[in-house]
Amino acid sequence: MKPESMAATIQRRLALVGIVSVVLTALGAVFLFYRAFANQVDTGLLRTAQAVAAGYDAALSPQGGAAADAAGVQVLRDCALAAAGRGDPLRLTLVAPDGAVLYDSTGRTDLPNHAARPEIAAALAGGTGFATRRSATLGYETHYCALRLSDGRVVRLADDTADIWSAYNRVLPLLVLGCLLVLGLALWLAWRLTQSLVRPITAMANHLDELESAVPYTALEPVARTV
């Protein structure tokens, strides 16, 4: 059997290491990009929810009963209109402690009980709750932030954002170009490193008279002694 080229073997394996490194780096970048993107959206929703809750509590303080309920709903309606005017339409929902939907900025009145929704359950139990639900058909994600109000009710904000993969597709050409450049550099470095490793071995043939003193690597000393 014809022996395999040592240089080609080393170069191929070094190139494989470079390819695996690039792939893992790309996957890690996707994950980190997604986490940062989701955290930014959730943080923005929480700050808006806190501002809405402050306005809601201020509207309730001097009143009570049905008038207070109407004032609180009006605060949510005004906030939804203001967000729409800024070109950032937020969906606001007011949920009773038992999960019944008291108000929704979409105008729907037939919404089912929301007590089992994870963000609502978390807000009722601990004060705040977050959830993200993805629409595979429409290509977007809806981020939810729920905040428990001073009267025990929960205000929930929802914001539709572009699906992470849709957003990532916009930078995909640059990512592919970067990966190709890194792979090219890795292949060049593999070739240079292979040459630097193999050259001293091939040079041993020119020093057969003093072979043991010309051994470049300790792993080759038994071979040199045998020769």
Side-chain angles (χ1 to χ4, degrees), residues 83-147:
R86 295 193 304 268
D88 183 23
L90 293 175
R91 179 181 175 186
L92 282 79
T93 308
L94 183 64
V95 181
D98 62 357
V101 177
L102 305 176
Y103 167 76
D104 190 86
S105 60
T106 62
R108 294 183 58 183
T109 58
D110 58 342
L111 293 173
N113 190 286
H114 278 30
R117 301 291 174 90
E119 68 278 6
I120 300 297
L124 289 172
T128 58
F130 297 92
T132 302
R133 289 188 275 278
R134 181 173 179 267
S135 173
T137 56
L138 298 178
Y140 65 81
E141 287 181 340
T142 302
H143 290 253
Y144 297 92
C145 174
L147 188 66

Side-chain angles (χ1 to χ4, degrees), residues 120-209:
I120 300 297
L124 289 172
T128 58
F130 297 92
T132 302
R133 289 188 275 278
R134 181 173 179 267
S135 173
T137 56
L138 298 178
Y140 65 81
E141 287 181 340
T142 302
H143 290 253
Y144 297 92
C145 174
L147 188 66
R148 189 178 60 206
L149 301 169
S150 59
D151 60 358
R153 295 173 176 176
V154 173
V155 61
R156 186 187 71 177
L157 276 68
D159 189 16
D160 294 333
T161 63
D163 181 82
I164 182 63
W165 303 115
S166 300
Y168 202 69
N169 284 339
R170 292 195 291 268
V171 298
L172 187 59
L174 292 177
L175 179 65
V176 171
L177 179 60
C179 289
L180 291 176
L181 291 175
V182 172
L183 283 176
L185 179 62
L187 292 175
W188 181 77
L189 289 175
W191 177 78
R192 289 297 303 269
L193 182 59
T194 300
Q195 296 302 312
S196 65
L197 289 173
V198 174
R199 189 179 297 112
I201 298 176
T202 56
M204 290 173 58
N206 300 323
H207 301 83
L208 292 178
D209 53 339

